[in-house]
Amino acid sequence: TSLGFGIPTGYEPNGILSLGTGAFTTDLHLGGHLQLEGGFFTTLAAGYSLRGKADNNFGGDDFDVPNAFLAIGKIGYAASKFYAAAWVDHQGTSSDGVDIGTPAFTGNFPETRVNYTRLGLTGFVPLRPAFGLSATYGTVVDGRNVGNTQYVNVGITFTIDTLSNPNTP
């Protein structure tokens, strides 16, 4: 299980390029992970995101950000020399909200009803005990009030546990 909070500070929720809602959120998830001896694994997690009100930076009353069902599934292989996983990420139709392009939409993006399904691949190769290279490819395959995007992330990943415990293999 997990419990998480999102606390916005100094955020402009209504910008056309804003990546969040600017609302206080509480996420509760339940999940499971099965790791086989050969390195193959699968992970499933699902939960609910309770979202508060967002500041209306256009002036006027704050507005509600729709709550949503969240789920993720992974299948992959983890070994000492590399990690690879295929995944699906889903946000179910928000419990309320408005659709962009309808008369009810007044320009407040955080109050829109959003759902999506994304598919992707993630890989990691350790270079040293404390860091390695990572890459992810993802694409939106279905959704509502969300951009139809594909993306690639490449990065250097630091392993905090190894940094705090140098005796870890």
Side-chain angles (χ1 to χ4, degrees):
T1 61
S2 70
L3 177 65
F5 300 97
I7 304 169
T9 58
Y11 185 77
E12 180 187 347
N14 233 348
I16 190 69
L17 298 178
S18 296
L19 295 176
T21 62
F24 182 87
T25 62
T26 303
D27 294 340
L28 178 61
H29 289 86
L30 179 64
H33 177 81
L34 175 64
Q35 180 78 43
L36 301 177
E37 284 188 32
F40 292 97
F41 70 89
T42 187
T43 303
L44 296 171
Y48 199 73
S49 182
L50 297 167
R51 299 165 180 171
K53 291 188 177 284
D55 291 334
N56 187 346
N57 58 317
F58 289 151
D61 293 334
D62 292 348
F63 43 85
D64 289 322
V65 176
N67 301 330
F69 170 77
L70 308 170
I72 189 165
K74 292 181 186 180
I75 187 166
Y77 181 80
S80 63
K81 301 292 184 198
F82 74 95
Y83 165 96
W87 49 265
V88 59
D89 179 25
H90 176 74
Q91 176 172 303
T93 302
S94 306
S95 58
D96 52 7
V98 299
D99 284 317
I100 295 172
T102 65
F105 180 67
T106 60
N108 296 324
F109 288 101
E111 71 178 349
T112 58
R113 180 181 315 180
V114 175
N115 73 318
Y116 58 81
T117 301
R118 299 183 309 155
L119 298 176
L121 301 169
T122 299
F124 171 75
V125 176
L127 300 177
R128 297 273 189 249
F131 72 94
L133 299 177
S134 60
T136 296
Y137 166 80
T139 184
V140 174
V141 294
D142 188 27
R144 175 184 194 148
N145 296 320
V146 67
N148 185 10
T149 60
Q150 295 183 23
Y151 57 92
V152 174
N153 296 321
V154 179
I156 297 173
T157 303
F158 294 94
T159 306
I160 294 171
D161 183 53
T162 304
L163 292 173
S164 64
N165 183 1
N167 296 324
T168 301

